[in-house]
């Protein structure tokens, strides 16, 4: 996978969904990573990957439509094309809970949960989803949770790097705040963050988390 494909892939699977991907970039990416790419009649592009098939439509303005971007994201999500080898550590977190996951990429087994860290502050459970009329400093509310997670990471992953997956968008995603806190209290550990992404944790099983983390690692190369 060349550098241009990595950049296009990272943009498509990133957050928010891009609206400036050129059609030529789009085709080049699929040519590089898909099992089969076919230019069909009527400016349609058919892409096959690991048994999945999707058809995209050439845009009039030269930029891939947001609808096709979403279909591309789904195709990439459904297709384990970035399977690697060795170990991969992933932190999947929302405002209430964080899981430190260990994936052995050489086996098809599900992830092993190394640690499970819970945010016990009930106020924090609502700060990201309702209007903030409590008068609490939300960063202060989350500090213990973030610090507990940092300790769990140090104990669980040794000197390995890890991928951080947050949940939700904007103020509902605490992952960015965790990164900021980690840079304050443990810069060396913060430097071992191999990539950060956003995913709907309520609908994500371990295989989905693994695939998302793999795409983030591949895009970061």
């Amino acid at each position: 996978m060349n550098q241009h494909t990595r950049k296009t892939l990272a943009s498509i699977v990133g957050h928010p969904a891009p609206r400036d991907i050129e059609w030529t970039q789009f085709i080049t990416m699929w040519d590089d990573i898909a099992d089969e790419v076919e230019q069909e009649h009527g400016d349609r592009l058919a892409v096959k990957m690991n048994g999945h098939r999707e058809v995209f439509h050439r845009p009039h303005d030269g930029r891939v439509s947001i609808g096709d971007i979403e279909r591309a994201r789904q195709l990439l999500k459904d297709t384990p094309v970035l399977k690697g080898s060795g170990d991969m550590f992933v932190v999947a977190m929302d405002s209430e809970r964080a899981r430190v996951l260990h994936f052995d990429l050489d086996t098809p087994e599900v992830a092993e949960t190394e640690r499970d860290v819970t945010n016990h502050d009930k106020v924090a459970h609502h700060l990201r989803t309702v209007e903030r009329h409590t008068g609490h400093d939300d960063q202060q509310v989350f500090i213990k949770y973030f610090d507990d997670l940092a300790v769990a990471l140090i104990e669980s992953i040794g000197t390995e790097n890890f991928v951080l997956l947050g949940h939700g968008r904007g103020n509902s995603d605490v992952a960015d705040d965790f990164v900021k806190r980690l840079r304050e209290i443990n810069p060396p550990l913060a430097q071992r963050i191999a990539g950060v992404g956003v995913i709907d944790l309520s609908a994500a099983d371990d295989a989905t988390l693994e695939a998302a983390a793999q795409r983030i690692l591949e895009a970061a190369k």
Side-chain angles (χ1 to χ4, degrees):
M1 187 183 299
N2 62 43
Q3 184 177 358
H4 294 296
T5 294
R6 294 184 197 281
K7 183 178 180 180
T8 304
L9 179 60
S11 181
I12 289 176
V13 301
H15 173 74
R19 297 175 180 270
D20 60 350
I21 299 295
E22 297 288 343
W23 180 248
T24 53
Q25 294 176 265
F26 196 64
I27 295 176
T28 299
M29 181 193 74
W30 293 122
D31 284 336
D32 201 4
I33 67 175
D35 297 328
E36 183 179 333
V37 179
E38 182 181 357
Q39 299 264 4
E40 295 186 339
H41 178 69
D43 288 336
R44 302 198 315 170
L45 183 74
V47 176
K48 293 182 180 179
M49 295 180 68
N50 288 8
H52 297 272
R53 183 178 185 272
E54 188 59 77
V55 176
F56 305 99
H57 300 271
R58 183 185 184 92
H60 296 297
D61 63 358
R63 297 181 185 274
V64 183
S65 70
I66 191 64
D68 274 352
I69 290 293
E70 291 300 334
R71 280 185 281 276
R73 287 159 73 100
Q74 186 62 47
L75 181 58
L76 291 165
K77 175 182 176 181
D78 291 340
T79 308
V81 295
L82 300 172
K83 188 68 176 178
S85 61
D87 296 309
M88 179 176 68
F89 288 91
V90 178
V91 175
M93 69 181 300
D94 58 19
S95 63
E96 299 183 19
R97 178 187 178 218
R99 295 173 65 202
V100 181
L101 300 163
H102 174 207
F103 292 95
D104 182 349
L105 301 180
D106 296 306
T107 71
E109 302 296 327
V110 296
E112 176 182 353
T113 300
E114 293 288 337
R115 293 290 290 271
D116 206 333
V117 180
T118 302
N119 183 4
H120 296 287
D121 193 315
K122 300 302 181 182
V123 175
H125 295 180
H126 302 286
L127 279 172
R128 300 292 167 150
T129 56
V130 300
E131 291 184 0
R132 300 171 185 175
H133 295 306
T134 62
H136 284 266
D137 182 334
D138 59 318
Q139 291 185 341
Q140 294 299 317
V141 166
F142 282 92
I143 279 180
K144 186 178 187 306
Y145 173 43
F146 291 161
D147 292 357
D148 288 346
L149 179 54
V151 171
L153 272 169
I154 294 169
E155 296 175 348
S156 301
I157 71 174
T159 60
E160 298 289 335
N161 293 338
F162 64 96
V163 176
L164 178 62
L165 297 176
H167 172 82
R169 299 181 178 183
N171 288 335
S172 65
D173 179 17
V174 297
D176 285 342
D177 286 340
F178 174 63
V179 172
K180 294 174 184 176
R181 177 63 177 170
L182 206 56
R183 287 172 178 162
E184 293 176 1
I185 64 172
N186 195 327
L189 182 58
Q191 291 176 358
R192 284 157 50 197
I193 299 175
V196 180
V198 177
I199 191 169
D200 182 1
L201 294 179
S202 65
D205 57 15
D206 286 355
T208 303
L209 295 176
E210 179 182 4
Q214 284 272 43
R215 287 193 292 271
I216 290 169
L217 287 177
E218 186 66 22
K221 290 182 179 179

